[in-house]
Amino acid sequence: VSIVSIVTMPATRELSASTCSVEMEEEWKGEGESMSGCGSPQSITVENEEGVLEQVQMDPDEYRGAHFNYAYFGDSDSKETTLQTRSGSIPNTKFIKKLKKNGRRRIISKSGDCNTALYRVSSKKRRFMQDVFTTMVDMQWRFTLLAFIASFLVSWLVFGVIWWFISFVHGDYLLENINNSTFIPCILANKNFASAFLFSQETQHTIGYGSRQTTEECPEAIVLQCVQSIVGVLQQACMAGVVFAKLARPKSRTNTVVFSKNAVITMRNGRLFLLFRVGNMRSSHLLEAHVRAQIVQNVTTEEGENIYFHQEELKVGTQL
């Protein structure tokens, strides 16, 4: 894994019981009291005998009285559970199922999805249907493919019924007309509804096997052939655009961008910094990549108003 950067954020004020998008939570249990949930390995910055600052690895069992965060909501005292439910920096299926059962879920998942829901929104479904293209792009793949297949089946069936009805009104299915060699039907080689359905497919996708074709006997059939050809082109363009738009979205790219499992707060140059690492698993580079971090916490104003999930932008960088 090629590490992109070690992201540092100055922490010049006290953080209390806060939650951010990298799923960090602090538990302050009093000054001088031991804390649980230390990540491993731990490092602190100390000054040696020569007056030079250096980082020293500490044993988690002996690491007491420091500022730290643990990487997910849950029982921070059980290290065995953490190792079993996580594989590296990418959550596995067992970890996700356990996280869903937990009463306190993270605000933003590692895939970038926001775990918030909208309530009491007027005409919510109608608003989504007004922008059908974006709604279909945002749908899951199974629903998008289902809509893709259903749209063509429905169009073939609807136009097949219309073709059958035109032939039925013209008398193409009457036995005396079938046996009459001088009778000219609306559609050649059209014997029943199955023939009309196949002709609908051939017309919409310009297959042209050569046996079935319209004649000049029915003007309504000529008009319907023009209409179905136009509708077929528009339908193919829209459905193909939805599929290509979903394929072009880099949502799966997040699977190869990993974060450090633990975030730590350390002292550097007399200031507290919050550190976490970001890694790119692929050899290809991420151009114009930007890193943002927000702290989400409950804030009480001077007027006594409680603001829940208050978001505050943090200064993020790789420099000290």
Side-chain angles (χ1 to χ4, degrees):
V1 179
S2 59
I3 300 302
V4 176
S5 60
I6 299 178
V7 183
T8 60
M9 293 179 290
T12 56
R13 59 182 178 81
E14 183 179 359
L15 305 177
S16 60
S18 60
T19 309
C20 66
S21 59
V22 292
E23 199 177 359
M24 298 176 294
E25 180 180 278
E26 297 179 343
E27 291 184 0
W28 303 90
K29 297 186 178 180
E31 184 178 357
E33 183 178 352
S34 62
M35 297 184 179
S36 62
C38 291
S40 178
Q42 303 290 348
S43 62
I44 60 174
T45 303
V46 297
E47 184 176 359
N48 56 18
E49 298 177 356
E50 300 177 358
V52 180
L53 295 177
E54 62 179 2
Q55 290 188 352
V56 179
Q57 299 288 339
M58 301 294 294
D59 188 0
D61 296 332
E62 298 177 358
Y63 198 74
R64 296 291 184 265
H67 308 289
F68 68 94
N69 296 332
Y70 52 88
Y72 67 95
F73 294 148
D75 186 7
S76 60
D77 296 330
S78 177
K79 297 180 182 179
E80 182 179 359
T81 304
T82 304
L83 295 176
Q84 291 179 353
T85 54
R86 292 185 63 100
S87 176
S89 298
I90 303 177
N92 52 29
T93 305
K94 186 177 180 181
F95 172 77
I96 294 175
K97 289 182 179 180
K98 183 178 179 181
L99 185 62
K100 290 181 179 180
K101 294 180 181 179
N102 198 338
R104 189 173 186 180
R105 300 178 60 188
R106 55 186 299 159
I107 298 176
I108 300 178
S109 62
K110 287 187 177 294
S111 61
D113 296 329
C114 190
N115 295 326
T116 58
L118 299 178
Y119 295 96
R120 299 179 181 177
V121 179
S122 60
S123 305
K124 182 179 179 180
K125 294 182 179 180
R126 182 173 59 85
R127 294 175 185 269
F128 282 127
M129 293 306 298
Q130 288 178 349
D131 189 7
V132 180
F133 185 85
T134 306
T135 302
M136 294 187 65
V137 172
D138 292 337
M139 288 192 307
Q140 297 181 359
W141 267 108
R142 54 179 175 266
F143 298 115
T144 302
L145 295 177
L146 180 62
F148 183 87
I149 297 173
S151 63
F152 285 103
L153 291 177
V154 170
S155 64
W156 296 338
L157 182 61
V158 170
F159 282 103
V161 171
I162 299 176
W163 284 116
W164 176 86
F165 181 75
I166 293 175
S167 299
F168 178 80
V169 173
H170 189 257
D172 295 351
Y173 301 131
L174 295 177
L175 185 60
E176 58 269 19
N177 292 333
I178 296 176
N179 296 328
N180 188 1
S181 60
T182 60
F183 178 78
I184 302 177
C186 292
I187 305 172
L188 297 178
N190 183 18
K191 300 178 181 180
N192 47 33
F193 177 75
S195 300
F197 181 79
L198 292 175
F199 182 73
S200 175
Q201 286 183 307
E202 296 172 12
T203 302
Q204 183 166 335
H205 298 285
T206 64
I207 297 176
Y209 288 119
S211 60
R212 298 182 184 88
Q213 56 182 318
T214 56
T215 62
E216 64 278 1
E217 289 295 322
C218 302
E220 59 273 15
I222 299 175
V223 175
L224 181 61
Q225 184 176 3
C226 297
V227 172
Q228 186 175 5
S229 299
I230 297 173
V231 172
V233 171
L234 293 177
Q235 184 180 3
Q236 284 182 324
C238 293
M239 298 310 299
V242 170
V243 174
F244 288 149
K246 288 185 68 66
L247 291 174
R249 298 179 70 180
K251 294 185 65 175
S252 299
R253 186 66 174 88
T254 58
N255 296 330
T256 55
V257 177
V258 296
F259 297 86
S260 55
K261 185 163 55 177
N262 296 330
V264 297
I265 296 179
T266 185
M267 181 74 70
R268 289 185 176 178
N269 297 333
R271 301 175 61 187
L272 291 176
F273 283 87
L274 173 64
L275 278 72
F276 61 91
R277 295 194 296 179
V278 183
N280 180 21
M281 296 176 60
R282 295 187 180 274
S283 58
S284 59
H285 297 286
L286 292 173
L287 302 179
E288 295 294 331
H290 301 279
V291 179
R292 295 180 57 191
Q294 291 182 339
I295 180 173
V296 182
Q297 59 182 350
N298 300 334
V299 176
T300 303
T301 62
E302 296 180 357
E303 294 77 12
E305 178 185 3
N306 294 325
I307 302 177
Y308 301 99
F309 301 104
H310 175 70
Q311 301 181 18
E312 181 179 350
E313 195 79 18
L314 297 179
K315 183 180 179 180
V316 181
T318 58
Q319 306 297 325
L320 296 179

